[in-house]
Every structure is written in structure tokens, then in C-alpha cells.
PDB file of all heavy atoms in Angstrom:
ATOM      1  N   GLU A  42     -17.559   3.492  -6.139  1.00 96.00           N
ATOM      2  CA  GLU A  42     -17.117   2.827  -7.372  1.00 96.00           C
ATOM      3  C   GLU A  42     -16.706   1.381  -7.151  1.00 96.00           C
ATOM      4  O   GLU A  42     -16.616   0.613  -8.106  1.00 96.00           O
ATOM      5  CB  GLU A  42     -15.927   3.585  -7.989  1.00 96.00           C
ATOM      6  CG  GLU A  42     -16.255   4.965  -8.531  1.00 96.00           C
ATOM      7  CD  GLU A  42     -16.411   5.994  -7.419  1.00 96.00           C
ATOM      8  OE1 GLU A  42     -15.777   5.819  -6.351  1.00 96.00           O
ATOM      9  OE2 GLU A  42     -17.178   6.959  -7.602  1.00 96.00           O
ATOM     10  N   GLY A  43     -16.420   1.006  -5.905  1.00 97.00           N
ATOM     11  CA  GLY A  43     -15.944  -0.355  -5.660  1.00 97.00           C
ATOM     12  C   GLY A  43     -15.271  -0.481  -4.315  1.00 97.00           C
ATOM     13  O   GLY A  43     -15.931  -0.476  -3.281  1.00 97.00           O
ATOM     14  N   TRP A  44     -13.926  -0.561  -4.321  1.00 98.00           N
ATOM     15  CA  TRP A  44     -13.176  -0.829  -3.109  1.00 98.00           C
ATOM     16  C   TRP A  44     -11.899   0.001  -3.072  1.00 98.00           C
ATOM     17  O   TRP A  44     -11.285   0.258  -4.105  1.00 98.00           O
ATOM     18  CB  TRP A  44     -12.822  -2.315  -3.025  1.00 98.00           C
ATOM     19  CG  TRP A  44     -14.025  -3.192  -3.047  1.00 98.00           C
ATOM     20  CD1 TRP A  44     -14.588  -3.787  -4.149  1.00 98.00           C
ATOM     21  CD2 TRP A  44     -14.856  -3.538  -1.937  1.00 98.00           C
ATOM     22  NE1 TRP A  44     -15.706  -4.490  -3.783  1.00 98.00           N
ATOM     23  CE2 TRP A  44     -15.890  -4.356  -2.432  1.00 98.00           C
ATOM     24  CE3 TRP A  44     -14.804  -3.241  -0.581  1.00 98.00           C
ATOM     25  CZ2 TRP A  44     -16.882  -4.881  -1.597  1.00 98.00           C
ATOM     26  CZ3 TRP A  44     -15.781  -3.763   0.250  1.00 98.00           C
ATOM     27  CH2 TRP A  44     -16.806  -4.577  -0.257  1.00 98.00           C
ATOM     28  N   ARG A  45     -11.503   0.384  -1.869  1.00 98.00           N
ATOM     29  CA  ARG A  45     -10.243   1.124  -1.675  1.00 98.00           C
ATOM     30  C   ARG A  45      -9.406   0.392  -0.631  1.00 98.00           C
ATOM     31  O   ARG A  45      -9.875   0.097   0.464  1.00 98.00           O
ATOM     32  CB  ARG A  45     -10.502   2.548  -1.214  1.00 98.00           C
ATOM     33  CG  ARG A  45      -9.219   3.339  -0.918  1.00 98.00           C
ATOM     34  CD  ARG A  45      -9.519   4.747  -0.430  1.00 98.00           C
ATOM     35  NE  ARG A  45     -10.216   5.508  -1.466  1.00 98.00           N
ATOM     36  CZ  ARG A  45     -11.389   6.125  -1.286  1.00 98.00           C
ATOM     37  NH1 ARG A  45     -12.009   6.061  -0.116  1.00 98.00           N
ATOM     38  NH2 ARG A  45     -11.951   6.799  -2.269  1.00 98.00           N
ATOM     39  N   LEU A  46      -8.150   0.112  -0.993  1.00 98.00           N
ATOM     40  CA  LEU A  46      -7.178  -0.436  -0.061  1.00 98.00           C
ATOM     41  C   LEU A  46      -6.154   0.644   0.232  1.00 98.00           C
ATOM     42  O   LEU A  46      -5.651   1.291  -0.700  1.00 98.00           O
ATOM     43  CB  LEU A  46      -6.449  -1.651  -0.651  1.00 98.00           C
ATOM     44  CG  LEU A  46      -7.202  -2.982  -0.746  1.00 98.00           C
ATOM     45  CD1 LEU A  46      -8.320  -2.929  -1.763  1.00 98.00           C
ATOM     46  CD2 LEU A  46      -6.217  -4.102  -1.089  1.00 98.00           C
ATOM     47  N   ALA A  47      -5.839   0.842   1.498  1.00 98.00           N
ATOM     48  CA  ALA A  47      -4.839   1.843   1.872  1.00 98.00           C
ATOM     49  C   ALA A  47      -4.000   1.284   3.003  1.00 98.00           C
ATOM     50  O   ALA A  47      -4.525   0.629   3.916  1.00 98.00           O
ATOM     51  CB  ALA A  47      -5.503   3.148   2.296  1.00 98.00           C
ATOM     52  N   GLY A  48      -2.699   1.521   2.939  1.00 98.00           N
ATOM     53  CA  GLY A  48      -1.825   0.993   3.975  1.00 98.00           C
ATOM     54  C   GLY A  48      -0.606   1.855   4.208  1.00 98.00           C
ATOM     55  O   GLY A  48      -0.201   2.638   3.337  1.00 98.00           O
ATOM     56  N   LEU A  49      -0.042   1.704   5.402  1.00 98.00           N
ATOM     57  CA  LEU A  49       1.211   2.344   5.782  1.00 98.00           C
ATOM     58  C   LEU A  49       2.115   1.263   6.342  1.00 98.00           C
ATOM     59  O   LEU A  49       1.669   0.433   7.154  1.00 98.00           O
ATOM     60  CB  LEU A  49       0.980   3.420   6.847  1.00 98.00           C
ATOM     61  CG  LEU A  49       0.202   4.660   6.416  1.00 98.00           C
ATOM     62  CD1 LEU A  49      -0.136   5.511   7.649  1.00 98.00           C
ATOM     63  CD2 LEU A  49       1.011   5.486   5.419  1.00 98.00           C
ATOM     64  N   LEU A  50       3.372   1.255   5.926  1.00 97.00           N
ATOM     65  CA  LEU A  50       4.264   0.217   6.405  1.00 97.00           C
ATOM     66  C   LEU A  50       5.698   0.683   6.494  1.00 97.00           C
ATOM     67  O   LEU A  50       6.111   1.643   5.830  1.00 97.00           O
ATOM     68  CB  LEU A  50       4.195  -1.016   5.502  1.00 97.00           C
ATOM     69  CG  LEU A  50       4.757  -0.876   4.098  1.00 97.00           C
ATOM     70  CD1 LEU A  50       5.445  -2.159   3.670  1.00 97.00           C
ATOM     71  CD2 LEU A  50       3.621  -0.565   3.121  1.00 97.00           C
ATOM     72  N   GLU A  51       6.420  -0.021   7.328  1.00 95.00           N
ATOM     73  CA  GLU A  51       7.861   0.099   7.413  1.00 95.00           C
ATOM     74  C   GLU A  51       8.427  -1.267   7.071  1.00 95.00           C
ATOM     75  O   GLU A  51       7.959  -2.280   7.584  1.00 95.00           O
ATOM     76  CB  GLU A  51       8.292   0.524   8.812  1.00 95.00           C
ATOM     77  CG  GLU A  51       7.841   1.916   9.200  1.00 95.00           C
ATOM     78  CD  GLU A  51       8.371   2.327  10.564  1.00 95.00           C
ATOM     79  OE1 GLU A  51       9.077   1.507  11.195  1.00 95.00           O
ATOM     80  OE2 GLU A  51       8.079   3.447  10.990  1.00 95.00           O
ATOM     81  N   ALA A  52       9.415  -1.275   6.188  1.00 88.00           N
ATOM     82  CA  ALA A  52       9.990  -2.542   5.756  1.00 88.00           C
ATOM     83  C   ALA A  52      11.462  -2.353   5.444  1.00 88.00           C
ATOM     84  O   ALA A  52      11.924  -1.230   5.212  1.00 88.00           O
ATOM     85  CB  ALA A  52       9.257  -3.076   4.524  1.00 88.00           C
ATOM     86  N   GLU A  53      12.181  -3.449   5.445  1.00 87.00           N
ATOM     87  CA  GLU A  53      13.583  -3.407   5.079  1.00 87.00           C
ATOM     88  C   GLU A  53      13.906  -4.672   4.303  1.00 87.00           C
ATOM     89  O   GLU A  53      13.549  -5.775   4.716  1.00 87.00           O
ATOM     90  CB  GLU A  53      14.485  -3.311   6.314  1.00 87.00           C
ATOM     91  CG  GLU A  53      15.956  -3.196   5.983  1.00 87.00           C
ATOM     92  CD  GLU A  53      16.808  -2.943   7.218  1.00 87.00           C
ATOM     93  OE1 GLU A  53      16.309  -2.305   8.153  1.00 87.00           O
ATOM     94  OE2 GLU A  53      17.963  -3.390   7.220  1.00 87.00           O
ATOM     95  N   GLU A  54      14.545  -4.516   3.156  1.00 85.00           N
ATOM     96  CA  GLU A  54      14.911  -5.664   2.342  1.00 85.00           C
ATOM     97  C   GLU A  54      16.180  -5.315   1.584  1.00 85.00           C
ATOM     98  O   GLU A  54      16.323  -4.206   1.066  1.00 85.00           O
ATOM     99  CB  GLU A  54      13.792  -6.025   1.364  1.00 85.00           C
ATOM    100  CG  GLU A  54      13.919  -7.426   0.815  1.00 85.00           C
ATOM    101  CD  GLU A  54      12.588  -7.994   0.334  1.00 85.00           C
ATOM    102  OE1 GLU A  54      11.546  -7.750   0.975  1.00 85.00           O
ATOM    103  OE2 GLU A  54      12.604  -8.682  -0.685  1.00 85.00           O
ATOM    104  N   ASN A  55      17.120  -6.268   1.546  1.00 85.00           N
ATOM    105  CA  ASN A  55      18.424  -6.031   0.909  1.00 85.00           C
ATOM    106  C   ASN A  55      19.062  -4.753   1.445  1.00 85.00           C
ATOM    107  O   ASN A  55      19.640  -3.964   0.700  1.00 85.00           O
ATOM    108  CB  ASN A  55      18.285  -5.954  -0.615  1.00 85.00           C
ATOM    109  CG  ASN A  55      17.769  -7.247  -1.211  1.00 85.00           C
ATOM    110  OD1 ASN A  55      17.912  -8.316  -0.618  1.00 85.00           O
ATOM    111  ND2 ASN A  55      17.162  -7.163  -2.376  1.00 85.00           N
ATOM    112  N   ASN A  56      18.937  -4.557   2.762  1.00 86.00           N
ATOM    113  CA  ASN A  56      19.507  -3.381   3.440  1.00 86.00           C
ATOM    114  C   ASN A  56      18.924  -2.067   2.939  1.00 86.00           C
ATOM    115  O   ASN A  56      19.564  -1.024   3.037  1.00 86.00           O
ATOM    116  CB  ASN A  56      21.036  -3.370   3.297  1.00 86.00           C
ATOM    117  CG  ASN A  56      21.681  -4.558   3.989  1.00 86.00           C
ATOM    118  OD1 ASN A  56      21.312  -4.904   5.112  1.00 86.00           O
ATOM    119  ND2 ASN A  56      22.617  -5.199   3.312  1.00 86.00           N
ATOM    120  N   VAL A  57      17.721  -2.112   2.383  1.00 87.00           N
ATOM    121  CA  VAL A  57      17.025  -0.900   1.961  1.00 87.00           C
ATOM    122  C   VAL A  57      15.858  -0.661   2.914  1.00 87.00           C
ATOM    123  O   VAL A  57      14.831  -1.340   2.826  1.00 87.00           O
ATOM    124  CB  VAL A  57      16.510  -1.013   0.509  1.00 87.00           C
ATOM    125  CG1 VAL A  57      15.722   0.229   0.122  1.00 87.00           C
ATOM    126  CG2 VAL A  57      17.664  -1.231  -0.459  1.00 87.00           C
ATOM    127  N   PRO A  58      15.993   0.275   3.860  1.00 91.00           N
ATOM    128  CA  PRO A  58      14.865   0.598   4.732  1.00 91.00           C
ATOM    129  C   PRO A  58      13.878   1.499   3.997  1.00 91.00           C
ATOM    130  O   PRO A  58      14.273   2.402   3.259  1.00 91.00           O
ATOM    131  CB  PRO A  58      15.525   1.341   5.903  1.00 91.00           C
ATOM    132  CG  PRO A  58      16.748   1.957   5.312  1.00 91.00           C
ATOM    133  CD  PRO A  58      17.206   1.043   4.201  1.00 91.00           C
ATOM    134  N   ALA A  59      12.593   1.233   4.182  1.00 93.00           N
ATOM    135  CA  ALA A  59      11.575   2.011   3.473  1.00 93.00           C
ATOM    136  C   ALA A  59      10.397   2.294   4.381  1.00 93.00           C
ATOM    137  O   ALA A  59      10.033   1.470   5.234  1.00 93.00           O
ATOM    138  CB  ALA A  59      11.102   1.261   2.221  1.00 93.00           C
ATOM    139  N   GLN A  60       9.834   3.474   4.211  1.00 96.00           N
ATOM    140  CA  GLN A  60       8.556   3.851   4.827  1.00 96.00           C
ATOM    141  C   GLN A  60       7.629   4.202   3.675  1.00 96.00           C
ATOM    142  O   GLN A  60       7.899   5.143   2.918  1.00 96.00           O
ATOM    143  CB  GLN A  60       8.722   5.055   5.761  1.00 96.00           C
ATOM    144  CG  GLN A  60       9.593   4.785   6.984  1.00 96.00           C
ATOM    145  CD  GLN A  60      11.080   4.863   6.696  1.00 96.00           C
ATOM    146  OE1 GLN A  60      11.519   5.701   5.931  1.00 96.00           O
ATOM    147  NE2 GLN A  60      11.852   3.960   7.284  1.00 96.00           N
ATOM    148  N   LEU A  61       6.581   3.411   3.501  1.00 97.00           N
ATOM    149  CA  LEU A  61       5.749   3.541   2.310  1.00 97.00           C
ATOM    150  C   LEU A  61       4.271   3.632   2.681  1.00 97.00           C
ATOM    151  O   LEU A  61       3.823   3.048   3.672  1.00 97.00           O
ATOM    152  CB  LEU A  61       5.954   2.342   1.380  1.00 97.00           C
ATOM    153  CG  LEU A  61       7.374   2.121   0.849  1.00 97.00           C
ATOM    154  CD1 LEU A  61       7.465   0.787   0.145  1.00 97.00           C
ATOM    155  CD2 LEU A  61       7.779   3.254  -0.080  1.00 97.00           C
ATOM    156  N   GLY A  62       3.549   4.364   1.862  1.00 98.00           N
ATOM    157  CA  GLY A  62       2.105   4.390   1.946  1.00 98.00           C
ATOM    158  C   GLY A  62       1.532   4.095   0.567  1.00 98.00           C
ATOM    159  O   GLY A  62       2.160   4.401  -0.451  1.00 98.00           O
ATOM    160  N   TYR A  63       0.380   3.465   0.532  1.00 98.00           N
ATOM    161  CA  TYR A  63      -0.240   3.165  -0.759  1.00 98.00           C
ATOM    162  C   TYR A  63      -1.751   3.329  -0.660  1.00 98.00           C
ATOM    163  O   TYR A  63      -2.343   3.199   0.410  1.00 98.00           O
ATOM    164  CB  TYR A  63       0.102   1.744  -1.235  1.00 98.00           C
ATOM    165  CG  TYR A  63      -0.437   0.650  -0.345  1.00 98.00           C
ATOM    166  CD1 TYR A  63      -1.736   0.155  -0.507  1.00 98.00           C
ATOM    167  CD2 TYR A  63       0.345   0.104   0.668  1.00 98.00           C
ATOM    168  CE1 TYR A  63      -2.231  -0.834   0.319  1.00 98.00           C
ATOM    169  CE2 TYR A  63      -0.144  -0.881   1.502  1.00 98.00           C
ATOM    170  CZ  TYR A  63      -1.431  -1.348   1.318  1.00 98.00           C
ATOM    171  OH  TYR A  63      -1.928  -2.337   2.151  1.00 98.00           O
ATOM    172  N   VAL A  64      -2.356   3.642  -1.805  1.00 98.00           N
ATOM    173  CA  VAL A  64      -3.807   3.672  -1.943  1.00 98.00           C
ATOM    174  C   VAL A  64      -4.134   3.002  -3.269  1.00 98.00           C
ATOM    175  O   VAL A  64      -3.554   3.351  -4.311  1.00 98.00           O
ATOM    176  CB  VAL A  64      -4.363   5.106  -1.927  1.00 98.00           C
ATOM    177  CG1 VAL A  64      -5.876   5.079  -2.132  1.00 98.00           C
ATOM    178  CG2 VAL A  64      -4.016   5.821  -0.632  1.00 98.00           C
ATOM    179  N   ILE A  65      -5.036   2.041  -3.238  1.00 98.00           N
ATOM    180  CA  ILE A  65      -5.452   1.323  -4.451  1.00 98.00           C
ATOM    181  C   ILE A  65      -6.959   1.450  -4.583  1.00 98.00           C
ATOM    182  O   ILE A  65      -7.697   1.149  -3.639  1.00 98.00           O
ATOM    183  CB  ILE A  65      -5.070  -0.169  -4.388  1.00 98.00           C
ATOM    184  CG1 ILE A  65      -3.559  -0.325  -4.204  1.00 98.00           C
ATOM    185  CG2 ILE A  65      -5.531  -0.898  -5.650  1.00 98.00           C
ATOM    186  CD1 ILE A  65      -3.152  -1.745  -3.849  1.00 98.00           C
ATOM    187  N   GLU A  66      -7.402   1.894  -5.747  1.00 98.00           N
ATOM    188  CA  GLU A  66      -8.832   1.983  -6.042  1.00 98.00           C
ATOM    189  C   GLU A  66      -9.200   0.855  -7.005  1.00 98.00           C
ATOM    190  O   GLU A  66      -8.563   0.693  -8.058  1.00 98.00           O
ATOM    191  CB  GLU A  66      -9.168   3.333  -6.688  1.00 98.00           C
ATOM    192  CG  GLU A  66      -8.776   4.544  -5.864  1.00 98.00           C
ATOM    193  CD  GLU A  66      -9.731   4.830  -4.711  1.00 98.00           C
ATOM    194  OE1 GLU A  66     -10.780   4.152  -4.611  1.00 98.00           O
ATOM    195  OE2 GLU A  66      -9.420   5.740  -3.918  1.00 98.00           O
ATOM    196  N   CYS A  67     -10.213   0.075  -6.640  1.00 98.00           N
ATOM    197  CA  CYS A  67     -10.682  -1.032  -7.468  1.00 98.00           C
ATOM    198  C   CYS A  67     -12.145  -0.828  -7.837  1.00 98.00           C
ATOM    199  O   CYS A  67     -12.882  -0.134  -7.130  1.00 98.00           O
ATOM    200  CB  CYS A  67     -10.555  -2.359  -6.716  1.00 98.00           C
ATOM    201  SG  CYS A  67      -8.884  -2.795  -6.250  1.00 98.00           S
ATOM    202  N   ASP A  68     -12.562  -1.467  -8.929  1.00 97.00           N
ATOM    203  CA  ASP A  68     -13.981  -1.440  -9.255  1.00 97.00           C
ATOM    204  C   ASP A  68     -14.707  -2.496  -8.422  1.00 97.00           C
ATOM    205  O   ASP A  68     -14.109  -3.163  -7.573  1.00 97.00           O
ATOM    206  CB  ASP A  68     -14.206  -1.603 -10.761  1.00 97.00           C
ATOM    207  CG  ASP A  68     -13.746  -2.960 -11.303  1.00 97.00           C
ATOM    208  OD1 ASP A  68     -13.575  -3.923 -10.510  1.00 97.00           O
ATOM    209  OD2 ASP A  68     -13.565  -3.070 -12.534  1.00 97.00           O
ATOM    210  N   ARG A  69     -15.987  -2.662  -8.663  1.00 96.00           N
ATOM    211  CA  ARG A  69     -16.775  -3.585  -7.834  1.00 96.00           C
ATOM    212  C   ARG A  69     -16.343  -5.034  -7.995  1.00 96.00           C
ATOM    213  O   ARG A  69     -16.621  -5.867  -7.120  1.00 96.00           O
ATOM    214  CB  ARG A  69     -18.267  -3.435  -8.174  1.00 96.00           C
ATOM    215  CG  ARG A  69     -18.874  -2.121  -7.714  1.00 96.00           C
ATOM    216  CD  ARG A  69     -20.358  -2.038  -8.048  1.00 96.00           C
ATOM    217  NE  ARG A  69     -20.966  -0.812  -7.538  1.00 96.00           N
ATOM    218  CZ  ARG A  69     -20.967   0.337  -8.191  1.00 96.00           C
ATOM    219  NH1 ARG A  69     -20.402   0.417  -9.397  1.00 96.00           N
ATOM    220  NH2 ARG A  69     -21.528   1.406  -7.666  1.00 96.00           N
TER     221      ARG A  69
END
């Protein structure tokens, strides 16, 4: 269908630690 972006990250901002994963589906 187009493009897929996927990522895994660890981040901390304003003393909020986070472990996040994302998947984004785009058209062409």
C-alpha cells in the first residue's frame, strides 16, 4: 500500500521515563 515506519525507543523528558514502540502505515 505504500510505506511502513516502525521504531522502538527509550526516552526521558520532564522526568518521565518512557519505553515506546510505534508503527505508522502510509500510502504511496
Side-chain angles (χ1 to χ4, degrees):
E42 292 76 28
W44 302 94
R45 177 181 297 125
L46 285 68
L49 292 171
L50 69 143
E51 294 184 359
E53 183 173 329
E54 198 156 322
N55 298 336
N56 296 316
V57 177
Q60 295 81 38
L61 300 171
Y63 64 86
V64 178
I65 302 168
E66 303 283 354
C67 299
D68 64 19
R69 290 181 177 86

